[in-house]
Amino acid sequence: MNRQDVFLAGLGGQGVLLAGQILAQAALRSGLEVSWFPAYSPEVRGGEATCTVVMADGPVGSPIVGRPRALVLMDAGSVERHLPRAAEGAIAVINSSLAPDPPRPDGVRVITVPANELAQAAGSERSANLVMLGALLAVRPVVALSEVEAAVLDALPAHRRSSAGVNIEALRAGYRAAGGDVSV
Amino acid sequence: MEDRSGATRKLMSGNEACAEGAIAGGCRFFFGYPITPQNAIPEYMAEHLPEVGGVYVQAESEVAATYMMLGAAAAGTIPMTSSSSPGISLMQEGLSYMLGCELPCVVVNMVRGGPGLGNIAPSQSDYWLATRGAGHGDGRCLTFAPYSVQELHDWSAEAFQVAARYRLPVMILGDAVLAQMMEPVRLRPRGEAMSLDREWAVGGGLKGRERRIVNSLWVVPEVMEQVNLRMKARFDQAEAEMVRFEEVGDEEPEMLVVAYGSMARVAETAIGWAADEGIRARLLRPISLVPFPYAAIRVWAERVRLVLVLELSLGQMVEDVRLAVEGRCPVEFYGRAGGPLITPEDTLSVILSMAGVRRML
């Protein structure tokens, strides 16, 4: 059975939980079994927010993952707390806008993406979560970019549809920044 | 969203799926009071119960919510409430009164770290409360422990039939993992409201029938004993009919792992990894905690070298497992309390060390 996990962490307000939900929705769209498990501190903003997405072509089993094989880390505190938990052979996508010069542990492939700057260039710094998700998909294609784009549209309520362009552009900017080719 | 089988599935949190399951199962009367990590249940009920002509009331306290349930149940409905550990402690008084009045209801407990106010992290430390309660007196809830968002949805719906059939409080026991995680759910169609027409219900005028009394005060000991015996008879019937469990893993195991709810999910992954390491392990997952699958565990206790119990507590269900095993083989325990999670990686280490130790003996 093919089983993939992605652990996302950042500050409350950075959209970590939403990015994970969009990934989970894309997995469901792709015909996979999926679980999305959040853990966060009680603060509205600035506390820690994390979620774990497990995707499989059969029952996902544990929604809890001790040593993740893919990590999306959006600030310096998350890098400090969670990069040491990465499994041997894991891939870690790190937001260099808030965690410049992160450690590069043996056995972990570290990709840095200036997500805040790329999101701002795409139209809104608030889309940094999607830049990070796009970058992850370029280096660990757990689901197709097109399914994630569709899931982004699913996630937008009707009165926010006008921001679809910014969000899709942020996703693609991250994908390109990590070496992905959006034309394929 | 259509899945591979063509069925429509929706990504939902355990809380939402539980609430929608209740509506599908016929719930029309919900009384609650907010507490994390189950706030999405009353929130969902407040929004959606009116769509089916149902009533949502936010009570002034957990205690009040249970007495609102008592009133609604006395009128012949199957009412519902939901809370989390400290709130469920407060509800014990009302639940005992409902037992005394022989009234059914459905209670959801999304367990958090404790004791005391504790925290909002996942825990399974309410096993004793959920299986030995409700409150004082000689009675118990029937308690079911789903392990996925789909099962939360399904058991929440089924709970209404079970409560009606045995005229007992039914508790759905989840935790902060199951409450907040999202998974795809195949939704049940919304069913009709539960019938109000019960031979013991009050209200609606006499219409030529005898006066009915719903009461938990029986001053004459022999009369009170009769209430207890009637309740025991219904409980015994539930014990004969409602034992539910599931097994996965090796057919000829050296080790039986027993875990429920979220920890059964963790154990399921860990025994798969253990098989890759050459360890023959099987998972038995109680779904009904009351009635407990004593007989099923006893059968395996004759055949395995060791039973390992995994819980997010310092050891509560392990007592029921020991009652089932009755000394036939060693029963080991691994658990954490107060909020930290047990990962499949932790569980694999425990399984490997237990298997290694047992093999050397």
Side-chain angles (χ1 to χ4, degrees), chain B residues 217-299:
Chain B
L217 175 67
W218 302 102
V219 177
V220 179
E222 287 72 17
V223 176
M224 185 78 252
E225 186 178 43
Q226 287 308 311
V227 173
N228 275 280
L229 288 171
R230 283 203 301 271
M231 195 163 59
K232 177 71 162 60
R234 293 197 303 273
F235 183 84
D236 288 348
Q237 192 195 341
E239 196 157 46
E241 296 170 349
M242 288 308 300
V243 173
R244 299 287 185 277
F245 62 92
E246 217 173 67
E247 296 182 23
V248 289
D250 202 284
E251 298 290 330
E252 296 289 337
E254 57 191 302
M255 181 187 300
L256 182 72
V257 179
V258 184
Y260 71 94
S262 59
M263 286 303 104
R265 294 284 293 269
V266 170
E268 199 172 275
T269 293
I271 64 163
W273 292 349
D276 296 340
E277 305 279 342
I279 307 294
R280 305 175 68 107
R282 187 173 184 83
L283 170 67
L284 189 149
R285 166 173 85 88
I287 299 171
S288 59
L289 301 180
V290 180
F292 193 75
Y294 292 107
I297 292 171
R298 193 166 297 138
V299 168

Side-chain angles (χ1 to χ4, degrees), chain B residues 71 73-76 196 198 200-205 209 212-214:
Chain B
L196 300 180
R198 299 183 203 286
W200 43 264
V202 298
R209 62 167 166 77
R212 295 168 180 170
I213 297 173
V214 172

Side-chain angles (χ1 to χ4, degrees), chain A residues 104-121:
Chain A
R104 293 173 185 269
D106 288 343
V108 179
R109 187 176 160 208
V110 172
I111 312 286
T112 55
V113 180
N116 290 40
E117 283 82 3
L118 289 175
Q120 203 154 31

Side-chain angles (χ1 to χ4, degrees), chain B residues 110-131:
Chain B
M110 295 299 189
V111 181
R112 58 188 250 176
L117 201 51
N119 56 37
I120 61 172
S123 178
Q124 295 184 318
S125 51
D126 289 5
Y127 181 89
W128 286 333
L129 177 72
T131 61

Side-chain angles (χ1 to χ4, degrees), chain A residues 3 21 24-25 28-38 40-42 56-68 154, chain B residues 1-4 9-11 13 120 122 176-178 180-184 262-263 265-269 273 312 341-345:
Chain A
R3 186 172 183 270
Q21 279 179 15
Q25 179 70 16
L28 176 59
R29 292 184 64 93
S30 310
L32 297 170
E33 296 298 325
V34 61
S35 67
W36 171 90
F37 166 56
Y40 44 85
S41 55
D57 52 11
V60 297
S62 176
I64 299 161
V65 175
R67 302 198 64 196
D154 288 348
Chain B
M1 191 60 48
E2 288 195 351
D3 69 5
R4 280 162 297 171
R9 295 199 302 170
K10 191 177 175 197
L11 199 61
S13 73
I120 61 172
V177 175
L178 292 163
Q180 294 176 307
M181 69 188 267
M182 296 178 92
E183 289 185 318
S262 59
M263 286 303 104
R265 294 284 293 269
V266 170
E268 199 172 275
T269 293
W273 292 349
L312 273 184
L341 290 167
I342 297 172
T343 67
E345 289 87 345

Side-chain angles (χ1 to χ4, degrees), chain B residues 72-96:
Chain B
T77 76
I78 311 288
M80 182 186 196
T81 192
S82 65
S83 191
S84 179
S85 311
I88 298 290
S89 288
L90 289 165
M91 290 177 173
Q92 294 298 298
E93 179 192 279
L95 291 177
S96 174

